[in-house]
Amino acid sequence: MSYEVSEEWYLDPRIPSDYVPVLGEDGLYMQVDENGTILSYWKCTEDGTALNWEKVNPDIPDNYEAVEDLEDVYKVTDANGMVKYLKYIRNRDNSFTFVEVDKYGNIIDEYITSCESQAGDNSIPTNYMQIDGNIYGVKNKDGVVVEYVKKNEDKNGNLIWNPISEEKVFADITGNERNNGEVKNPDMTLPDSTDQKPDEYVVGKPGGNKVTTAPVVVDPDISVNTGSKSKKTHTQKESYQTTEYEGDYKLTYEYTIIKTYDDEGNMLSSDKQGPFLRNKEYVGNQKVTANPSLIESNLDNEIMRVAGALEQSDASGVINSLNAERINNNLSILATDGDAQKIATLFAADMATYDNTTNISPLYGSIDQLMTRYGITNQGYGLNVWRTTSDDAQQIHQRFQSIDNCRNARMNENFNQVGVAIFKNNGYYYVAELLMLQF
């Protein structure tokens, strides 16, 4: 089984790297953090070359009316005209529920009140789940944590429970604030390189050289109508380059991405300008062509021959994320010290050498032919390949997890080893991930 990540995954820089498409939902994306926690949902619509982004929540039924000035509280009117108020609660494990509240947003869940009254002064209620130390989560009748409390004692030694926000809970545990569950301007960062200045274009460097410029405020007083209120906006510009070959020439194109944010850091739209031809270089017959006579008979020697001159990225983050995902799905972790790693290394290096984005090597043929050449047997395998402009481990992991065939291979309960390799050439990163069952 071999799977390729289609071109769309690396040809549209208007979509932020932490936005993952929701399977089966056209234009719907979930924004996730580095741990895979869903932060929010965004609906994308196209307007010419621009993508417009609207924050949505697919968990909220259409007949739920948002209550102004109360976050995540909804007014619900039934067929008989009876009104009640519900609060939407989503936990870090992506579970969610609706709990009944009064019109001011205070929880009035009778089950919770019952558990607390039965507990007594110095007993822990049966629906209180210890999170860490003296911090507890309060579960409703469906077993979903709906609020957090901190255990303290009064001067007489009686237990008292003080409410605490989810952000404060996990800030206390991890030492990090979660920014109220949102990522503020995730792309608005300056280059790390000390020899590259803001607003500087890298012209003439081949393939995917992304330059993130300083935020450009077009008009600090410009505002957009977002419904009940008008918000000021600002824009950020980024430029990046790609390389293509046409006959004996190497062509370098430049694109500009313009992103518009509101004053809370939410991206409202993203537009692409270009491509603009920046460089045309004659390369003649310099392109690498496959020469089977150069293939070494020993696998280790062949890896050294093909990969020795290439820049290799650390792929351990991808493997760690994959194994963590398998643990979350009650699957065994995959070994990384077998033949799968060697074959993945050779295949990724081969992809980078020949700018190959398919699962068929111009030098070795299919992955089956490659393994047969070096006497490697297996009882099943899955190959995921991708060419991208970033070697970010979490981004690679999220992309593979977002595609049915790739995810099915990664979550296959029969596989027992994995190999992942990433090589860079001409501004692109070439990723090969091989999952295998081998005894």
Side-chain angles (χ1 to χ4, degrees):
M1 302 179 294
S2 301
Y3 305 114
E4 307 159 33
V5 178
S6 59
E7 296 282 325
E8 63 186 282
W9 292 112
Y10 58 83
L11 287 183
D12 197 343
R14 296 172 297 176
I15 302 175
S17 61
D18 59 340
Y19 281 31
V20 179
V22 176
L23 297 175
E25 299 289 340
D26 187 33
L28 184 62
Y29 291 78
M30 49 188 174
Q31 183 182 4
V32 298
D33 65 13
E34 65 276 6
N35 298 314
T37 301
I38 299 173
L39 302 178
S40 55
Y41 287 88
W42 296 87
K43 184 69 175 179
C44 177
T45 55
E46 290 198 47
D47 182 11
T49 60
L51 298 181
N52 295 321
W53 299 91
E54 178 187 3
K55 194 172 185 179
V56 296
N57 191 338
D59 300 332
I60 308 299
D62 293 337
N63 64 323
Y64 281 35
E65 179 185 351
V67 178
E68 189 174 358
D69 297 327
L70 288 180
E71 185 177 5
D72 294 328
V73 175
Y74 297 86
K75 178 181 177 182
V76 182
T77 306
D78 65 19
N80 299 318
M82 297 295 293
V83 174
K84 65 179 178 180
Y85 295 88
L86 298 177
K87 183 177 178 65
Y88 170 78
I89 295 176
R90 173 176 283 276
N91 293 309
R92 290 170 68 91
D93 62 359
N94 294 328
S95 64
F96 71 90
T97 190
F98 292 92
V99 297
E100 189 167 0
V101 297
D102 60 25
K103 63 180 180 180
Y104 304 108
N106 302 308
I107 294 177
I108 55 175
D109 193 308
E110 294 180 359
Y111 172 81
I112 294 176
T113 305
S114 173
C115 289
E116 291 176 348
S117 63
Q118 294 171 13
D121 288 339
N122 275 323
S123 298
I124 297 176
T126 56
N127 65 320
Y128 279 33
M129 176 183 69
Q130 187 176 27
I131 303 296
D132 183 75
N134 61 346
I135 297 175
Y136 288 75
V138 181
K139 295 187 291 186
N140 67 358
K141 61 181 179 297
D142 299 315
V144 178
V145 174
V146 295
E147 62 180 339
Y148 294 89
V149 291
K150 196 168 187 177
K151 182 178 70 174
N152 293 293
E153 292 185 1
D154 62 19
K155 62 182 180 180
N156 297 318
N158 297 316
L159 293 183
I160 55 176
W161 303 92
N162 301 118
I164 182 173
S165 69
E166 181 184 9
E167 282 67 38
K168 185 65 167 61
V169 167
F170 291 97
D172 286 348
I173 294 173
T174 65
N176 296 309
E177 197 71 44
R178 257 187 56 198
N179 228 359
N180 292 324
E182 296 184 5
V183 176
K184 303 297 184 182
N185 291 358
D187 295 309
M188 200 170 291
T189 54
L190 296 178
D192 291 331
S193 174
T194 56
D195 59 358
Q196 182 174 295
K197 300 176 181 178
D199 299 316
E200 177 183 18
Y201 291 113
V202 181
V203 178
K205 291 187 179 180
N209 292 302
K210 180 179 176 181
V211 182
T212 305
T213 66
V216 179
V217 179
V218 175
D219 184 346
D221 296 321
I222 190 171
S223 63
V224 294
N225 194 323
T226 59
S228 59
K229 298 179 181 179
S230 293
K231 295 184 178 181
K232 293 181 179 180
T233 66
H234 60 273
T235 62
Q236 173 202 359
K237 292 184 179 180
E238 301 173 350
S239 66
Y240 75 100
Q241 296 179 348
T242 60
T243 298
E244 297 179 8
Y245 289 92
E246 185 178 289
D248 292 334
Y249 290 89
K250 180 173 71 175
L251 308 178
T252 301
Y253 292 94
E254 186 174 88
Y255 297 80
T256 298
I257 305 299
I258 302 175
K259 297 180 180 179
T260 303
Y261 295 89
D262 65 19
D263 55 2
E264 294 179 355
N266 298 312
M267 187 171 65
L268 303 176
S269 66
S270 50
D271 197 2
K272 179 172 68 173
Q273 295 180 351
F276 307 106
L277 183 61
R278 295 306 190 204
N279 191 50
K280 183 175 182 179
E281 179 184 356
Y282 178 76
V283 294
N285 59 359
Q286 296 178 31
K287 290 188 68 177
V288 180
T289 56
N291 184 354
S293 66
L294 299 177
I295 298 176
E296 297 279 354
S297 58
N298 177 273
L299 177 57
D300 292 332
N301 291 342
E302 180 66 358
I303 292 174
M304 186 177 299
R305 182 187 74 82
V306 178
L310 294 173
E311 179 183 338
Q312 185 172 7
S313 297
D314 181 12
S316 61
V318 180
I319 296 173
N320 292 340
S321 296
L322 168 58
N323 276 329
E325 193 79 41
R326 287 179 64 89
I327 291 173
N328 288 338
N329 285 272
N330 297 316
L331 299 171
S332 60
I333 64 173
L334 302 172
T336 59
D337 56 354
D339 291 329
Q341 183 59 51
K342 290 186 178 182
I343 293 298
T345 300
L346 182 55
F347 201 86
D350 178 78
M351 290 172 61
T353 300
Y354 298 105
D355 188 27
N356 178 38
T357 58
T358 74
N359 50 33
I360 302 296
S361 162
L363 183 60
Y364 307 113
S366 69
I367 197 76
D368 282 309
Q369 292 172 310
L370 176 57
M371 289 193 282
T372 298
R373 173 184 289 274
Y374 290 106
I376 295 175
T377 59
N378 65 85
Q379 287 70 49
Y381 72 88
L383 174 66
N384 299 327
V385 299
W386 189 26
R387 185 183 76 169
T388 177
T389 56
S390 170
D391 62 349
D392 180 77
Q394 192 61 28
Q395 180 179 341
I396 294 169
H397 170 70
Q398 289 170 358
R399 289 303 190 232
F400 282 151
Q401 283 297 106
S402 301
I403 299 171
D404 285 343
N405 289 336
C406 295
R407 185 179 65 256
N408 291 340
R410 303 176 105 224
M411 297 295 107
N412 189 310
E413 63 180 5
N414 297 315
F415 292 148
N416 57 12
Q417 62 172 275
V418 64
V420 182
I422 308 169
F423 286 93
K424 183 179 182 181
N425 196 19
N426 287 332
Y428 285 109
Y429 293 93
Y430 299 79
V431 185
E433 178 182 75
L434 179 62
L435 306 112
M436 196 159 65
L437 173 62
Q438 187 180 59
F439 299 115

